[in-house]
Amino acid sequence: MTVNSNVLRSDSTDGAVAYPLDPLSGAEIEAAAAIIMNSEYATATIKFVMISLAEPAKTPALTFEGAGRVPRRALATMYDAAAKLVYEAIVDLGARVIDAWKPVPGRFPSYLVEHMTGVEEKVREDPRWQEAMRKRGVTDFSLAMIDPWPAGYYGPQDHYDNSPLICRPLTFMRAAPSEHGYARPVEGLIVTFDLDAMKVIDIEDHGVVPFPPTAGNYSEKFMFDPNNRPAFSAFRDDVKPIEITQPDGPSFTVDGWRVQWQKWSMRVGFTPREGIVLHEIAYTDRGQTRPIVYRASLSEMVVPYGDTAPTHWNKNVFDMGEVGMGFSANPLTLGCDCLGEIFYFDGTVNDSSGAAVTIPNAICMHEEDYGISWKHTDFRTGEVEVRRSRRLVISMICTVGNYEYGFFWYFYNDASIEVEVKLSGVLTTGAVAEGEDPRWGKMVAPGVYGPNHQHFFNFRLDMSIDGAGNSVYEVDSIPEPDPALNPHHNAWITRDTLVASEADGARDWDWSTGRYWKIANPSKRNELGSPVAYKLTPKDVVPVMVQEGSYIHDRARFVQHNLWVTRYDAAELYAAGDYMYQSADMQGLPQYIADDAPLEDTDIVVWYTVGAHHVVRPEDWPVMPCAYTGFHLKPVGFFDGNPALDLPPSPPKPCHSHHAGLPVADVAGES
C-alpha cells in the first residue's frame, strides 16, 4: 500500500484567510468558546455541545470565488444542566462579538463528550447494579462493558418537564480483559441514568438469563482459540498481495479544503454532527464550470429495533442527531481503511469546555479503478475501443458503540455520483435461555441472538443543476396508455409528474414502474431542446417496519417516504429536526413541508432516505461483514453526449495471463 504522507490538517487555516465554507479551525473553535465564556451569557454550569461553522448565505453565483471578504462566524450549541436549557449562539469571530443568542426551551441536547466516557464508571459503582450483577454470578465488575445508549422514549415520564437528561445504559460482560463483551449480553437489566447529575436513577431487572456459553472473539490473539465460535486453525495462506501504485501520484489536487479531480471540483467540509459535508460540487464541461449540488451531507439516521423484549423495544437511536457522526469519526491511521495514494483531512471538534479536539485523518480521499467505463468491438473490422472507469472516493468511518458506519461519496469520470453506506461492526445482542427460540430475532451463536432491526439514513442534497432554479419530476415507465397506439401490446412510455409544491413533496418509490426522480433546470436546455437534468435512482429500497402507534413512528417520520422535496431554507438541515433527543413530538421534514411552498423552477432541496433491513445471520457473528446500501445521481440530458467519451485509452502494458494447462506468461495487452 502506498500512502500519501502529506496530510492536510483542518487547523491549517490558522493565521490564513479561510474560504467562507471552510470548517472552523481549532483556533476558531476555541475563540468562539472564549468569546461566549467572557460574555454576559456565561454561567458556571454551561457546557458546549457543538461548535461549527455558521455557514454564510448563498450567493447568486452559488460560489464565493471572487465574492470578497465574508465574515467568519461560528454556531455554538450549549447546554446548561442547572437551568435545563439548550442555548444557541452565533459568534462573529473577526469582530469577537455575539451576533445572536437564543434559548431553546423544551429540548434536550445531543451527547456531550463526557457522557460517552463517564457513564460506565458511575453505573459500575451503583450498589443496585452490583446486586443485579451478583444475581448473575458476576463479582469482578471491572470486566463489565456499559454502553450509554440514548434514552429513546418510554412515554410521557420522559418528557422534558418531568425528566432530567437521561440515557439507558446496556451492560455486557467480558470473560477476560480485552475479550469480545458483546458475546455475553446482560439480558433484562435496564439502567436509567441521569446525565445532568451523572448518577443512576433507577434499575429495572426483568429476570436472570444465563450468559451464553461460548466466546465470540475476532481479534488475532483469540482467533484460533478452540473455545471461540467460530474457531479456525490458521489464517488463509492463499491470499496473495495486491499492491495499488500511482507512480506519478494521484490525479487530484488539493488547495486547503478545495479538491479538483479531472473535471470535478468541490469543497470538502466537516462538522461535529454531520461529519463529511461537500459544497459547491461542479463539473467542467467543454471549458464551462457547471454547478450540480451546492451542499450535500448526511442529514439524519435512525436504527429502530423490532423486538418487544424489555431490553430492546425502546432501541431507536438517532446516531447522528443524538451522538454526532463527526464526533464518532475514526482516525484512519491503523490498518488499511483505504488503498492507493491517499490524502487525509483532519476533523476538528470541541469538548464540553470549548477546547478544540483534532481527529487525525478523519476523512480519506483516494482514487479507485472501477472496471470498464465503456467498450465496443466492431465485429466486422475487429477494432476495439475500451476505456477504464475511475472514481474519486471521499469517505469516513464512524464508530457508534457496537456498530461501524462507513460513508462513501463516489465521483465517477462519466459525471455520475454515488453515495454508499457500508455497515459493519458488532450486532447489539440479546441472550436467551437454552432451548428457547427468539420470536423477534435470529440466533447467531448458542445463547446469543440478534434482534430484528433496520437502519435508515437520510441524505440532504441542496441541488443546483446549472443554477438555483430547479424542478423535480417523478418519472414512471408505463405501458402505452392509448390502445390505438399499441396494437402489438409491447409499447411503453415514460411519464413525468411535476412535484409542484411541498404538499406533494413526500414521494415513494414504485418497483412496478421503475420509478426514479429527475431534478431539472427548466431554464437551461441541451442541444435536443430538453431541460438539463440529473436523476436520482434508488440502489436498495427496504420496507419500513416502523408502525403507526409506536413512539418511533412520530420521532422518525422521515423514514415513512423514500424521497422528500422542500423549498430551500437555510434553517432546515436535519430530517428529524434540530433536537430529537428524548422527545416524542413530530419534527423535521413533516414540518418543513407544512407551509406547502411552491417547488417549480426554484431553489429546492432533495432529501433521500436509504435503508438496510437486517434480519441477522450466524454469518454476521462475531463481527459483521460489510452490508451496503445507497443511491446514484446520474446525468440525464445534462450533457450533449457521453461525458466519458474523452477518456484517454490506457497505454499498453504487461499483464499476467494465466491459461489452463499452460505456463504463466507476461502478455502485452491494450486496454
Side-chain angles (χ1 to χ4, degrees):
M1 178 177 68
T2 302
V3 180
N4 191 337
S5 61
N6 181 19
V7 176
L8 172 69
R9 300 194 177 280
S10 62
D11 60 1
S12 62
T13 57
D14 290 357
V17 177
Y19 190 79
L21 296 174
D22 286 353
L24 293 183
S25 67
E28 289 175 320
I29 288 171
E30 294 183 348
I35 292 166
I36 290 170
M37 294 310 295
N38 290 326
S39 76
E40 61 187 294
Y41 301 110
T43 69
T45 51
I46 205 164
K47 293 185 177 182
F48 292 93
V49 183
M50 293 184 184
I51 304 175
S52 59
L53 178 71
E55 294 181 12
K58 287 183 185 179
T59 67
L62 300 176
T63 179
F64 291 91
E65 296 290 347
R69 185 182 179 279
V70 177
R72 293 280 285 175
R73 302 198 304 169
L75 168 63
T77 304
M78 295 144 287
Y79 179 62
D80 190 331
K84 210 156 71 168
L85 264 178
V86 170
Y87 296 97
E88 294 176 354
I90 302 292
V91 180
D92 186 321
L93 296 168
R96 298 189 67 82
V97 297
I98 297 174
D99 286 345
W101 181 273
K102 182 176 74 172
V104 187
R107 297 295 179 197
F108 283 107
S110 56
Y111 273 176
L112 302 173
V113 172
E114 61 261 32
H115 291 161
M116 296 299 291
T117 56
V119 170
E120 185 169 82
E121 178 184 351
K122 295 296 183 182
V123 171
R124 192 180 283 125
E125 294 171 353
D126 186 80
R128 293 164 292 178
W129 177 87
Q130 292 181 356
E131 179 60 27
M133 297 304 289
R134 289 189 188 97
K135 290 179 181 178
R136 291 161 170 83
V138 175
T139 55
D140 186 351
F141 303 135
S142 68
L143 295 174
M145 297 181 353
I146 302 161
D147 286 1
W149 274 66
Y153 189 76
Y154 269 26
Q157 69 272 17
D158 288 347
H159 189 268
Y160 187 91
D161 292 337
N162 304 314
S163 172
L165 176 62
I166 61 173
C167 71
R168 291 194 167 92
L170 298 178
T171 304
F172 304 84
M173 281 304 304
R174 299 183 192 271
S178 78
E179 268 219 338
H180 182 26
Y182 294 112
R184 303 178 79 216
V186 179
E187 189 66 40
L189 182 61
I190 304 168
V191 179
T192 303
F193 190 90
D194 183 340
L195 292 167
D196 289 338
M198 291 299 286
K199 67 178 184 180
V200 175
I201 298 173
D202 189 35
I203 298 285
E204 297 176 43
D205 193 341
H206 294 267
V208 174
V209 177
F211 287 118
T214 56
N217 297 303
Y218 53 86
S219 63
E220 181 177 356
K221 60 184 174 182
F222 292 111
M223 185 77 170
F224 311 115
D225 184 344
N227 295 318
N228 200 46
R229 187 178 182 88
F232 295 95
S233 57
F235 285 119
R236 304 178 191 190
D237 60 4
D238 56 352
V239 181
K240 305 302 182 185
I242 292 179
E243 294 185 2
I244 299 172
T245 61
Q246 293 181 271
D248 299 328
S251 303
F252 55 74
T253 60
V254 182
D255 180 10
W257 294 87
R258 186 172 189 265
V259 173
Q260 288 186 285
W261 177 73
Q262 296 191 24
K263 297 185 175 185
W264 286 105
S265 63
M266 67 203 71
R267 304 201 70 92
V268 178
F270 185 87
T271 74
R273 180 164 177 162
E274 299 156 293
I276 293 174
V277 178
L278 300 177
H279 274 105
E280 296 186 9
I281 300 171
Y283 193 89
T284 300
D285 175 27
R286 292 172 289 190
Q288 179 187 1
T289 298
R290 303 175 67 185
I292 297 171
V293 186
Y294 179 76
R295 189 185 196 275
S297 68
L298 178 72
S299 109
E300 192 51 85
M301 63 166 291
V302 68
V303 189
Y305 278 74
D307 186 340
T308 196
T311 322
H312 307 288
W313 75 267
N314 70 305
K315 292 178 179 176
N316 41 70
V317 180
F318 296 81
D319 286 326
M320 186 185 123
E322 294 182 330
V323 180
M325 283 296 111
F327 282 127
S328 306
N330 288 188
L332 301 174
T333 53
L334 300 175
C336 293
D337 297 289
C338 309
L339 289 177
E341 196 78 14
I342 299 166
F343 193 95
Y344 288 111
F345 297 88
D346 291 355
T348 306
V349 298
N350 60 278
D351 66 16
S352 62
S353 67
V357 178
T358 297
I359 303 172
N361 304 348
I363 299 174
C364 172
M365 183 172 69
H366 68 290
E367 294 175 274
E368 291 179 348
D369 179 271
Y370 199 65
I372 294 173
S373 175
W374 57 266
K375 178 177 181 176
H376 182 62
T377 299
D378 188 324
F379 72 89
R380 292 179 175 85
T381 65
E383 293 181 353
V384 179
E385 291 282 353
V386 59
R387 302 292 187 271
R388 300 293 299 177
S389 177
R390 192 180 294 189
R391 66 187 185 185
L392 178 71
V393 185
I394 300 175
S395 65
M396 69 176 181
I397 299 174
C398 304
T399 299
V400 187
N402 53 297
Y403 248 100
E404 264 70 31
Y405 297 104
F407 298 96
F408 290 74
W409 296 81
Y410 301 128
F411 296 87
Y412 293 88
N413 48 18
D414 65 355
S416 61
I417 303 170
E418 182 183 3
V419 176
E420 184 173 67
V421 183
K422 300 182 182 182
L423 300 90
S424 187
V426 178
L427 304 170
T428 183
T429 51
V432 293
E434 184 178 359
E436 288 189 14
D437 191 25
R439 181 175 180 83
W440 303 289
K442 300 295 181 184
M443 300 296 293
V444 295
V448 184
Y449 81 99
N452 298 335
H453 64 282
Q454 297 183 298
H455 305 255
F456 291 100
F457 308 85
N458 183 272
F459 290 87
R460 181 183 182 273
L461 306 170
D462 183 354
M463 302 302 297
S464 57
I465 303 298
D466 257 350
N470 289 180
S471 300
V472 176
Y473 295 87
E474 193 164 78
V475 183
D476 294 298
S477 297
I478 60 171
E480 169 58 59
D482 186 346
L485 299 177
N486 193 15
H488 308 294
H489 306 286
N490 69 316
W492 55 277
I493 64 171
T494 58
R495 178 183 62 202
D496 290 12
T497 303
L498 174 69
V499 182
S501 74
E502 289 180 335
D504 298 320
R507 314 302 302 176
D508 294 310
W509 185 64
D510 188 340
W511 173 86
S512 68
T513 64
R515 178 171 291 170
Y516 61 86
W517 293 277
K518 182 170 63 177
I519 303 100
N521 186 328
S523 302
K524 303 289 180 67
R525 303 272 169 165
N526 59 29
E527 68 177 2
L528 302 176
S530 300
V532 298
Y534 262 69
K535 67 176 181 178
L536 191 155
T537 58
K539 183 177 179 182
D540 294 292
V541 179
V542 303
V544 177
M545 304 308 292
V546 172
Q547 300 154 41
E548 191 169 358
S550 65
Y551 289 121
I552 191 60
H553 180 271
D554 284 339
R555 300 183 72 216
R557 283 288 181 95
F558 71 88
V559 309
Q560 299 301 322
H561 299 283
N562 303 112
L563 182 122
W564 303 68
V565 187
T566 63
R567 188 167 181 169
Y568 171 77
D569 184 329
E572 296 174 355
L573 287 176
Y574 309 119
D578 293 346
Y579 302 101
M580 78 292 301
Y581 196 101
Q582 217 169 303
S583 177
D585 59 330
M586 181 178 65
Q587 301 180 63
L589 281 165
Q591 292 181 330
Y592 301 162
I593 67 172
D595 60 352
D596 194 21
L599 295 175
E600 187 173 7
D601 193 11
T602 190
D603 194 352
I604 57 97
V605 177
V606 170
W607 312 69
Y608 187 67
T609 301
V610 298
H613 187 75
H614 202 174
V615 179
V616 305
R617 314 167 296 154
E619 291 85 354
D620 291 329
W621 184 255
V623 64
M624 191 174 83
C626 277
Y628 305 87
T629 187
F631 64 93
H632 285 86
L633 284 169
K634 297 183 178 182
V636 51
F638 190 80
F639 301 99
D640 292 332
N642 180 356
L645 202 62
D646 60 350
L647 291 177
S650 301
K653 56 191 288 188
C655 64
H656 297 283
S657 178
H658 298 256
H659 298 278
L662 297 175
V664 176
D666 284 342
V667 180
E670 182 172 352
S671 36

